[in-house]
Amino acid sequence: MTTTEAPPAEIGRPRTRKEDQHLITGHSTFTDSMVLPGMVHLAMVRSPLAHATITSIDTTAARKAPGVVGVWTGRDFPEQGGLACAWPITPDMKSPVHLPVPTDTVNHVGEIVAVIAARTKAEAVDAVELVDVQYSELPVVTDLAAARDGSAPVIHGDLGTNVSATWVFDSGAAGTGGDASAAIEAARSDPDQIVVERTFRQQRLIPAYMEPRSTVCDPNGAGDQITIWSATQIPHILRTMLTLSQGIPEGKLRIIAPDVGGGFGGKLEVTPEEVATIMVARQLGKPAKYTETRSETMMAAHHGRDQIQHLTMSARKDGTITGFDVDLTANMGAYLALVGPGVPILGAFMYNAIYKIPAYRFSCTNVFTNEVMTDAYRGAGRPEATFAIERMMDELATELGMDPIEVRRRNWIRHEEFPFTTVAGLTYDSGNYEEATDKALRHFGYDDLRAEQQRRRESGDRIQLGIGTSTFTEMCGLAPSRVLGSLSYGAGGWEAASIRMLPTGVVEVVTGISPHGQGHVTGFSQIVADRLGVPFENVKILHGDTNISAKGLDTYGSRSLAVGGIAVVKAADKVIAKAKTIAAHLLEASEDDIDFAHGSFTVRGTESSVTIGDIALATFTGHNLPDGVESSLDSEAVFDPENFSFPHGTHLCAAEVDTETGKVTIRKYVAVDDVGVVINPLLVDGQVHGGLAQGIAQALYEEAQYSADGQLTSGTFVDYLVPSAVDLPDYITDKTITPSTSNPLGVKGVGEAGTIASTPAVVNAVLDAVRQFGVADIPMPMTPARVWQAIQDGSTAAGSNSSSTGGAA
Amino acid sequence: MAKITVAVDGTTYQDEVEPRMLLVQYLREKVGKTGTLVGCDTSNCGACTVLFDGVSVKSCSVLAVQADGHEVTTIEGLAGINGELHPVQQAFHDKHALQCGYCTPGMIMRSVSLLKENPHPTEAEIREGLNGNLCRCTGYQNIVAAVQQAADALATAGGAR
């Protein structure tokens, strides 16, 4: 054998996706497209009231309706268990019972009060109208502050309070920094310091994945198995939680996540609808399907964000921060969602961001309201944190009359200071904020835009220009199990992978992550192709079926590559180690003399070699293996990271504000992200683009609104503004590459970065444009009406505001 | 029930349908064209877009009975008989213009129609032309690039398709 040409490295190539073919030709396998013989279709009777006692339910007429095979109220499901919350953030956290189909009381609009099964979906929906539910109304709570301070009626009487838990981190007590309260108090009386105090509202958002949730349950699987197809991000967690909450033996459950149409955290849930579908299928002994309408998604699937952020920062007049206090009120909704209580707590470690803050305190109070639950939505706690600190950095710059970039430079961790242990107790392994910022400024043309801004101000142009900065970091790759344990999370953060070397040269990779649009099949194929030296095309990635991928913890928290991808690498390394022993035998050499590169084992200093494919075939035949060696190269691995990874970057936004209409147009958006080593730049850019869209949408367009009586008034895509192509700009993206040192590939997460970074960049830009009119803040989303009103109010209230010209114009 | 005759992706179907049945329900539930997807219930998202006598429509906004005597092309009928991708399909793949793929059938069908209406659109015209189709994954940048690539490819091919 002769030496072979080294194939081009797969890692770093902009490979187009293996996932696309069936999706662009209409051969998709989304759950709602599935039809099983004898399957019944479900429709839900949902509560129109936000808080009420169910006094009676008459299902007589519905049961007689054409095609209806059954109607169930909560009392007809004696087997149902309360849905579990997996994240008790404090030992005394209060958590109400959350039945999938409540029997006595409804606590938010859209709760299921009855389930109808019929031959067709249309017949089921028709029968919904025939169910007569009588309610006795109870007082409704939608005000977070009132829920926290005790002035609102208690929603769950048995809990005696609307406060679920308060979680506190204090760097003084933790020994990671000083006493923030003391630092801020000292600053108040120090003429060389200022104290900036602000309250921001993180509005409620709706994940708005394009595929409404859908579940099919076949209770009659082979071997007594119950097979569940569901539009979920978390087939493995769903399986475990169904056992823990509903008492169905885990071995009976097979969960399949087929094509899943987006999630963004919104499908990180164990839902009442899934449980109801399973219960009906089991009671009937027939397959059942439930697919929600968009309106039902908006109303009954979990929302994200929804916090009041009270922030106090002290700093010296040269811009150096001396203390930071964060006090949050977080809206849990009516119940505690799967990981809902922990979402704001994930932010606790990120409010200090990229800055050297000597004293830091974080306190979060989770409260109940009569609104749908909140839980993970793209970024989950970290966008809120990044928004708060990056808004505060601009506020500090404004107060001090400094350039917002300069204020950041004075405080951020310098490149040579890594690894750096922060005031929140995390150790950032790597980063280069200077390089990312300098690169972003070059792409942006910062000085030219500042000059244009000044010209427009001086000429009183109808269109005013503002510049917004966000220099962010995030913790991702959820997560080190020990850290999760210290936060009382109910599971670990490892990920599993296995590799099967088939005799024909195909490499089957089984991963415990569960992609739903990210492109992991392509990216993981590239990693394995490089690691094992096999063609990209020969790698087959399997996922999303608990019968195939028995072990895993699924996809969220930008963990799939940084944790799941590393598990694949570890499994591949085990394959290589096994193959090396056999290679030495086949080549009649000592294992110590064998090198492996580009898929071939070579005896050092000779031309003698054998490929890993040859060895796979040799294990298949088993004709000539060393004594005592197992006839298999197949390997599995579990990877549990020792640390998070910390992507970072600098985002700059130039926003034009039409002062006569209040309309905001993003003129230029530059995102320089450092996500470590890039496996596939095409996929990374795609993740950044999509993330930006969602972060910009929070700044400008989206808000889930409830009326005082708990009605969701933004319950369709007519009222909830998911941006279209005309609402978003062309993004300029670039990268710096500072490899993560916490994993062997040097990768970091990328799925949430764009969302985390972009919201404050946009808001800072808009405020920079209109501060000259005396505008101090505009709540998100910054709609034309709000911007216009703020300009009107600011101009009259602050007429001669000359101190806040914003930035270093 | 009403009797209708509809040509879908080159095959003629005769069916009895409820007058209230939407075209998208007919396509998915009666004809088995599950490549066409439903993303909302207010005709905002465009996931269900198909060609109706060659022009894009949201099939949730058309009744099945209105399709009587008409021709419908879904995402499943777009590629050539030998599986050759339509230039728009090819461009969506090349430009990474899809992630989860749920908006994709509608987005592709609308893009096909857009390029028939305006074979050489500017970026702004593409964005305006796709205004009725929502995507939650891509941020649209790569979709716009894909339509641009498809426009070039169709122009090179003489607009034959």
Side-chain angles (χ1 to χ4, degrees), chain A residues 313 319 321 353 355 357 387-399 402-412 469 471 764:
Chain A
M313 178 182 276
I321 300 166
Y355 308 112
I357 296 176
F387 178 84
I389 182 68
E390 290 304 297
R391 282 284 296 108
M392 288 301 278
M393 295 309 284
D394 263 37
E395 292 296 310
L396 180 61
T398 302
E399 294 278 348
M402 290 176 67
D403 181 288
I405 305 267
E406 182 55 30
V407 169
R408 288 168 169 84
R409 276 188 202 279
R410 290 208 182 166
N411 288 286
W412 74 37
T469 306
T471 51
N764 281 337

Side-chain angles (χ1 to χ4, degrees), chain A residues 76-427:
Chain A
D76 300 320
F77 292 123
E79 70 273 35
Q80 68 173 329
L83 294 162
C85 170
W87 203 334
I89 55 167
T90 62
D92 60 349
M93 179 179 83
K94 295 192 165 48
S95 181
V97 174
H98 183 196
L99 289 178
V101 185
T103 51
D104 300 307
T105 308
V106 290
N107 288 298
H108 67 79
V109 164
E111 271 207 88
I112 301 167
V113 293
V115 184
I116 292 167
R119 181 183 50 178
T120 67
K121 178 79 178 182
E123 288 167 329
V125 171
D126 286 345
V128 167
E129 305 291 324
L130 302 174
V131 176
D132 182 13
V133 188
Q134 295 295 318
Y135 299 93
S136 172
E137 293 195 43
L138 295 167
V140 173
V141 180
T142 59
D143 183 327
L144 273 72
R148 176 173 172 173
D149 68 23
S151 60
V154 173
I155 295 168
H156 303 286
D158 53 329
L159 302 183
T161 172
N162 288 326
V163 173
S164 173
T166 297
W167 191 93
V168 177
F169 175 86
D170 188 311
S171 67
T176 53
D179 180 331
S181 305
I184 290 165
E185 274 320 299
R188 287 188 198 279
S189 55
D190 181 348
D192 291 327
Q193 292 201 54
I194 63 164
V195 175
V196 182
E197 207 163 342
R198 298 286 186 271
T199 299
F200 298 134
R201 188 72 168 91
Q202 280 284 328
Q203 81 270 36
R204 189 175 261 258
L205 299 177
I206 300 180
Y209 33 77
M210 292 312 300
E211 178 206 20
R213 299 169 309 164
S214 178
T215 300
V216 171
C217 176
D218 179 359
N220 307 317
D224 203 20
Q225 233 179 14
I226 302 165
T227 310
I228 297 150
W229 293 261
S230 198
T232 182
Q233 293 175 229
I234 51 162
H236 298 93
I237 293 174
L238 176 59
R239 186 184 191 212
T240 305
M241 295 311 289
L242 282 173
T243 297
L244 294 176
S245 69
Q246 307 303 315
I248 306 169
E250 197 170 2
K252 278 193 172 195
L253 290 166
R254 176 186 185 184
I255 316 285
I256 301 171
D259 281 341
V260 175
F264 317 111
K267 289 173 181 166
L268 200 187
E269 200 60 70
V270 177
T271 70
E273 290 82 0
E274 286 167 329
V275 174
T277 305
I278 295 164
M279 291 191 299
V280 168
R282 294 185 80 194
Q283 285 203 16
L284 290 176
K286 302 273 283 181
K289 172 160 76 181
Y290 173 70
T291 302
E292 66 191 357
T293 63
R294 174 59 57 183
S295 299
E296 287 177 296
T297 312
M298 306 291 273
M299 181 167 59
H302 78 242
H303 294 171
R305 315 281 193 264
D306 204 350
Q307 300 174 3
I308 298 170
Q309 306 176 300
H310 187 74
L311 309 158
T312 311
M313 178 182 276
S314 59
R316 282 196 282 277
K317 287 187 174 167
D318 66 356
T320 313
I321 300 166
T322 56
F324 192 30
D325 182 276
V326 175
D327 180 72
L328 302 184
T329 308
N331 189 351
M332 296 291 101
Y335 303 101
L336 297 182
L338 183 64
V339 298
V343 165
I345 309 308
L346 279 175
F349 306 96
M350 285 288 117
Y351 279 82
N352 53 297
I354 66 171
Y355 308 112
K356 292 177 282 188
I357 296 176
Y360 169 60
R361 186 175 190 277
F362 171 97
S363 174
C364 178
T365 300
N366 290 344
V367 301
F368 295 112
T369 60
N370 292 115
E371 299 175 359
V372 80
M373 301 182 297
T374 59
D375 203 332
Y377 171 54
R378 204 168 191 169
R382 292 154 293 158
E384 297 93 316
T386 302
F387 178 84
I389 182 68
E390 290 304 297
R391 282 284 296 108
M392 288 301 278
M393 295 309 284
D394 263 37
E395 292 296 310
L396 180 61
T398 302
E399 294 278 348
L400 295 173
M402 290 176 67
D403 181 288
I405 305 267
E406 182 55 30
V407 169
R408 288 168 169 84
R409 276 188 202 279
R410 290 208 182 166
N411 288 286
W412 74 37
I413 303 157
R414 294 193 309 275
H415 182 53
E416 63 272 19
E417 293 176 306
F418 289 95
F420 186 90
T421 298
T422 74
V423 74
L426 293 182
T427 299

Side-chain angles (χ1 to χ4, degrees), chain A residues 651-719:
Chain A
H651 288 212
L652 296 170
C653 175
E656 292 182 349
V657 177
D658 185 329
T659 54
E660 290 184 12
T661 65
K663 182 176 165 53
V664 174
T665 305
I666 294 180
R667 156 95 165 267
K668 193 169 195 179
Y669 195 100
V670 172
V672 174
D673 283 278
D674 193 322
V675 297
V677 171
V678 171
I679 304 299
N680 181 328
L682 205 60
L683 299 181
V684 164
D685 272 349
Q687 287 295 310
V688 171
H689 292 171
L692 292 176
Q694 290 182 20
I696 293 168
Q698 177 173 14
L700 297 180
Y701 303 122
E702 297 182 13
E703 180 172 30
Q705 291 177 320
Y706 281 93
S707 62
D709 61 352
Q711 296 292 331
L712 180 68
T713 58
S714 56
T716 72
F717 278 167
V718 176
D719 318 288

